[in-house]
Amino acid sequence: TEGVQKRINAQIERTTKGYQSQSRILNELKGIALGYLSVHGASQLLSSLVRVTGEFELQKTTLAAMLGDLNQAEQIITRIQGLAVESPFQFKELTTYAKQLSAFSVPAQELYDTTKMLADVSAGLGVGMDRIVLAYGQVRSAAFLRGQEVRQFTEAGIPILNELAKQFSELEGRAVSTSE
């Protein structure tokens, strides 16, 4: 039995050494993998930063060309960047909408406030901002409200006829109905 016990102990010792060797190898592999992932992660982060910076510069340049003023474009883009952080919209979306509004003749000094107002309405109603920007831009560029835009606002969930009735009631000092 003493011989059997020695063989068992020797086998346990060999198995333990094998596990220790495997453990060292796994730790080395873990270190290599973490090193690779760190380098890969840093590379991905750098790539993302370059892409975002490039997008920022492209949007700023485009808006500057539309407005004819780089300083105004920089101010608007910076404010839109802040809006993108606090709203459900991405920077690129907001910039695209601001450029569309600029194309609809919204003055540069009103561009950010108008974009923010329409983003708030869109987020509040859960309606695509593109629909609201289009309807607003069409009214703005035509300088009057047509039936088509009334329908667009109504379909987007904006009770434009009710609001117009309220405004005309205040202006005329009498109750004006939506049908009027």
Side-chain angles (χ1 to χ4, degrees):
T1 59
E2 196 173 299
V4 172
Q5 186 63 38
K6 283 185 179 181
R7 283 193 307 233
I8 291 174
N9 286 343
Q11 184 61 38
I12 290 172
E13 193 174 313
R14 281 193 301 272
T15 303
T16 301
K17 286 182 182 179
Y19 285 142
Q20 288 172 344
S21 175
Q22 286 178 354
S23 178
R24 278 192 306 274
I25 291 170
L26 287 174
N27 280 333
E28 288 175 18
L29 285 174
K30 181 175 99 176
I32 291 169
L34 288 175
Y36 171 76
L37 290 175
S38 294
V39 169
H40 181 69
S43 172
Q44 292 291 66
L45 177 64
L46 184 59
S47 175
S48 293
L49 286 173
V50 167
R51 190 171 50 252
V52 167
T53 302
E55 182 65 35
F56 182 80
E57 288 300 318
L58 175 66
Q59 296 298 336
K60 181 175 69 173
T61 302
T62 305
L63 189 60
M66 292 179 79
L67 298 176
D69 186 342
L70 180 61
N71 288 334
Q72 276 188 325
E74 284 178 348
Q75 290 172 359
I76 292 168
I77 290 291
T78 300
R79 292 182 75 191
I80 287 175
Q81 192 177 19
L83 180 59
V85 170
E86 63 188 41
S87 80
F89 301 102
Q90 299 293 318
F91 169 75
K92 188 174 181 178
E93 291 174 304
L94 291 169
T95 309
T96 298
Y97 297 137
K99 290 187 298 188
Q100 287 175 345
L101 289 168
S102 177
F104 279 122
S105 301
V106 173
Q109 59 273 17
E110 296 175 23
L111 199 54
Y112 172 78
D113 292 333
T114 303
T115 302
K116 183 179 182 332
M117 174 191 64
L118 295 177
D120 291 345
V121 169
S122 173
L125 293 173
V127 176
M129 190 169 166
D130 55 332
R131 292 173 61 187
I132 296 173
V133 167
L134 177 63
Y136 180 85
Q138 287 172 335
V139 171
R140 182 78 185 227
S141 65
F144 61 90
L145 182 64
R146 298 177 296 200
Q148 175 183 342
E149 287 82 24
V150 169
R151 190 183 80 247
Q152 288 174 321
F153 283 121
T154 303
E155 287 174 352
I158 299 170
I160 193 90
L161 290 177
N162 294 339
E163 291 303 315
L164 286 171
K166 287 180 194 174
Q167 291 295 319
F168 281 114
S169 293
E170 287 178 21
L171 285 173
E172 295 185 12
R174 66 177 183 89
V176 175
S177 69
T178 57
S179 61
E180 286 182 84

